[in-house]
Every structure is written in C-alpha cells, then in structure tokens.
Amino acid sequence: DTAALTRDNWGYMIVDEDTHNLPMLKNDWFSYSSHKAPVYKADTIEGLAKEAGLNPVELKKVVDEYNAALKAGKLGELTPPNTHKNPRPILKAPFYAVPFQGGMTATFGGPLINTNGQVLDTEGRPGPVLIDITKDVTANKAEYERKEPEQVKRITDRIKAEDIETAVKMIEASKKPYVFVGGGAIASGADAQLNEFAHKIDSPVADTLMGKGAFNGTDPLYTGMLGMHGTKASNYGVSQCDLLVVVGARFSDRVYGNAKKFAANAKILQFDVDPAEINKNIKTDASVIGDVKVILEKLNEKLPQMNHNEWITEVKSYEEAHPMTYHKGVLTGPYIIEKIYEATHGDAIISTEVGQHQMWAAQYYKYKAPRQLLTSGGLGTMGYGLGAAIGAKMARKDKLVFNIAGDG
C-alpha cells in the first residue's frame, strides 16, 4: 500500500541514477530527511519495491504513469499531482527511494509516494496527526451527522511465511536469546503474546522507556531497561547474547550507543510494523514486517518449549553483582519513587514530565501492565505529565494516578 509507507507523514521520492547524483537533489532532501528513513536502492523498480517494503505492482504502475505523463507534458493531471519544480524521468538503473516529507515541494526528482495522515493515525505505527481547522469553519454552524469510527485493521499482509520460518530457525538455534521490547508491543496490544513468547523461549527480557509494562516488571525474566538509562544486567546481557529478538522497538541512539559495538556477539531478529525501522540504525540479520501481536501469535504456535537455565543464571548473576543503587544517606528521587511503588503495591498509573525524574520513574517503579507509565519519549514534551495525569484519572477513576514532575 503506497499510501502508508512511513510514519509521521513521511514517504519516498522515486529517482534514477542520474537524478540521485544531482547535488541539488541531495541539498533539497538531506537536511530534513536523512535521519528519518533509509535510502533504498535496487537495479529494478520491482527490486526497489521489495527493498523498501512496497507493493511492486503499485510502484511499477506509479512510475510508468509518471514517466508517461512527464513525456506527454501532463504531470498536472496525475492524482495526486506531482509537486516538483523540475521533474526528471526515471529511466536509468539503479533506482532509489529517497526519504521525503509529505507536503513539501522538491526541486528535482521523480514521483512522491506520500503517506496518508488519516490512515497513519490509526493503522500500522501510530503517529501524531495535525488537523488544521480554518477560522471561518469554527465561526460557522453546520449540521452534525454522527458516524461510528471504522474498526482499525491490523497490518498482516506483509507477514511472510518464509520470514516466520526463518525466525523460528534462528530462535531454535539460539543458546543465549534476549528479548528487547519497545512501545510497538503496547500499541499492538501484544502483552499476553509477549509473555507467552518470552517464557516459551526461556529468555531474559529488556525494554525501552516506551515499552514499559509490555512485559511484567516483576517477572523473574525481566532485567530492566537497555541502553544509556538502563541496568547493567540488561546491557551486559545483550552484549553476551547470541540472538537479540527485537519486538516493536526502534533502536534509538540512547539504546545502542556505539552502533559498531552494540550486541556484537549476537544475530539480530527484528519484528516491526514499520519497514523504515529495519536496518535504519542497526543492521539486522532477519526481520518480520507486520503487527507484532500477530507475529508473536504465529511464532508461539510454531515454537517448542525451550530451556536456557544456564543462560538465565548467567544474566541473573549480572543483576546480583550490579544492582540499581542510589545514595541512601539523604532524601532522593529514587527513594521517593520506590516508596510510591511500595505504598501503591505497583498498581498506580504514573505520568511524568521530561528530565532526570522521568528516568527515575522508569527505573525505580515496576510496571506490571501496559500504559501504567504515561511519558513523552522521543518527542520530549515538557509539561506532558499534568495533562496525561488528568486524562488518566478521568478514564480510570478506580486508579491512583501520580504525576512525577521536577528534578528537585
């Protein structure tokens, strides 16, 4: 589906070898797109579609229609219309899919395969959508016609049987697996499937800030966050594992640090609904594209019960040797958060602002369920916590809600 390629209204501009080498093109897109999505390359349009995770028939159709319209001087008749000032044909291999932000005008290039914000908001990888209502609309009256929201469909058409089989073989061959889970598992509602998966392959589990609660933080297999703000147990464990299974996580720089040294002993198997995340920051050995809940369901059906007692014992020894600690001679943020955890028995909803207290809230409160921690991740929105806490209390009047704010 070329209408929903990447997140946050990002898509691709399709160009050939001659256009890709133009300095003007690189200047036009590099400054605002180079860190959002990878540039894909192939010797055929069909191969390019496969590399970028697109529908090859649809992409070939778009390119053929573009070339024909350009030759006939009828680009303006295309739907949606092409938005280049100096459009160029797509004829010479290799071909490229260049990351591009929807709504922008390119100076040079081929057709823009844009994302669709209305679809992106609810399907696939969720993302923010700006709905801009003009002043004349807000000042006028209109008849209201109630419509029921359409049911959100899970993206399963990209889950390939051969990719599932490859994943099964890699997991079965592993002696030291490690599961790394991110916010995608929460967005997918895959917590039950993830719990079954981790226990079936008998693997320790680390998470990201946005993945908190996807796997029960009180489970013996849980080792804490990974990366800069993570536990030594998780970081040492991932450095020693032979297979890192990544479930709905995006490999932010706060997680991997030095990309060349990250999980250096491991093969990497990544599950994600967004093909733009595969091989973006960390090179993977294999991947399965699609809704992670469905992916895990398929794997759980095929995998046998496994036993990695020696590996689990090794990881637990890291926990015992390097526990999370803080200065206990004075009143501190970690101490307060630990006391909130004890007083609420781990059943409260926690929201945070942005800062060191946000990391303490992630590290010293054990989250047992999805959406127990409401926090602004990559966006880093200061002031988020108060509104989130009010909304959480309105939605869950039966729950205690804490907004942890400030580093004082």
Side-chain angles (χ1 to χ4, degrees), residues 89-100:
I90 306 170
L91 302 172
K92 183 179 178 181
F95 305 102
Y96 299 82
V98 177
F100 203 84

Side-chain angles (χ1 to χ4, degrees), residues 63-101:
V63 171
D64 289 345
E65 288 180 350
Y66 168 84
N67 281 334
L70 178 60
K71 186 175 182 180
K74 297 181 178 180
L75 271 185
E77 297 179 11
L78 291 180
T79 303
N82 191 272
T83 57
H84 293 83
K85 297 175 183 176
N86 298 288
R88 298 171 64 91
I90 306 170
L91 302 172
K92 183 179 178 181
F95 305 102
Y96 299 82
V98 177
F100 203 84
Q101 190 172 26

Side-chain angles (χ1 to χ4, degrees), residues 1-2 20 107 119-120 212 215 231 239 249 376 384:
D1 180 7
T2 56
H20 186 259
T107 305
V119 174
L120 191 66
K212 284 288 176 183
F215 190 77
T231 63
S239 70
S376 178
Y384 168 88

